[in-house]
Amino acid sequence: MDQKIIDLYDRFTHGGINRREFLDRLAEIAGSSAAAVALLPLLQNDYARAAMVAPDDARLAIDAVSYDAPGARIGGTLARLKSKGKRPAVIVIHENRGLNPHIQDVARRLALEGFLALSPDLLSVAGGTPANEDQARDLHTKTDKGAMLGAALAAIPFVKNHAESTGKVGAVGFCYGGGVVNSLATASADLNAGVAYYGAQPPADKVPGIKAPLLLHYAGLDQRINAGIPAYEAALKAAGKRFTVQVYPNVNHAFNNDTGNRYDKPAADLAWSRSVAFFKENLGSPPRA
């Protein structure tokens, strides 16, 4: 697909332009309004392709859970292997469309690696994630980001103190969720490892508060997010923090999301293998089935 279209869609999905302006510009690139409408299904995520691990996988125990955050009760899903044993926990933070089938599938993948995987719905602070992707994105735009960060922070003690947890807690996030992971690292001494996929960087003056080692994945074509890498890297180095930056050439923002048009399997597979190894190194290797 034309990179101009991908870049335009990225601007739209992250609030840079409204829907009317997006469709008008898409029609200009595609040649007509009809062509633009025909392109829309190709740009939107197809959650029918989300399940690399089936929701009813017999190896897994998956429960709906909830926990308290300031001013709200936060819903989510907890996935782990059925075999007994305490496990390091990983919180999976969603993109700017709330808790959807793709993120729940990512949690199941981590569960198969042996982790206690929590995928919270941070839009619980506004009533929960709508099933419709456009409605979910619109609700995310309108929802107080401080309240959602509070919901994410509250997930750390929830899984740290869970009966099936070793007390070691990591977090992985994608897009908006990647930025949340960066913010969690600055705000919580109880986070033991953070993996941020193409996430917005925190202010430099917050970096000294980071205790957890970080693995930072970026897409080579993602000019919007990548503009913040040099300052973040300089702040991390100046503060003596443990971090690794991985930039994947010639791939777009959201390259890990296998339900969308920007998915790049080689980059996603490499980043995933690095992420799992990073969590095992910093949280401890979990018991396998």
Side-chain angles (χ1 to χ4, degrees), residues 127-247:
T129 298
N132 178 276
E133 179 179 324
D134 287 336
Q135 292 175 2
R137 183 176 55 247
D138 290 345
L139 181 61
H140 179 275
T141 300
K142 299 171 185 175
T143 300
D144 182 80
K145 302 306 182 290
M148 287 196 285
L149 179 58
L153 282 166
I156 296 176
F158 174 71
V159 291
K160 179 181 177 67
N161 299 316
H162 193 278
E164 297 175 56
S165 171
T166 63
K168 293 290 187 179
V169 181
V172 59
F174 306 86
C175 181
Y176 161 76
V180 170
V181 169
N182 283 324
S183 294
L184 291 178
T186 70
S188 176
D190 289 329
L191 185 71
N192 302 113
V195 177
Y197 281 74
Y198 27 83
Q201 301 84 2
D205 63 356
K206 299 291 187 182
V207 168
I210 294 174
K211 300 293 189 294
L214 299 175
L215 175 57
L216 309 171
H217 298 299
Y218 295 104
L221 299 176
D222 188 3
Q223 297 181 30
R224 178 178 57 87
I225 291 296
N226 292 358
I229 295 176
Y232 192 25
E233 192 166 5
L236 288 164
K237 287 180 178 177
K241 303 305 178 181
R242 293 175 292 161
F243 72 99
T244 301
V245 171
Q246 299 286 0
V247 179

Side-chain angles (χ1 to χ4, degrees), residues 1 7 17 21 25 28 39 42 54 67 83 94 102 131 159 162-163 177 194 199 203 208 210 216 230 256 265 269 277:
M1 184 174 291
D7 291 343
I17 53 177
E21 187 175 1
R25 293 190 182 184
E28 291 176 7
L39 279 171
L42 302 179
Y67 62 90
S83 55
H94 55 69
H102 168 63
V159 291
H162 193 278
I210 294 174
L216 309 171
N256 181 76
K265 179 174 172 53
D269 288 349

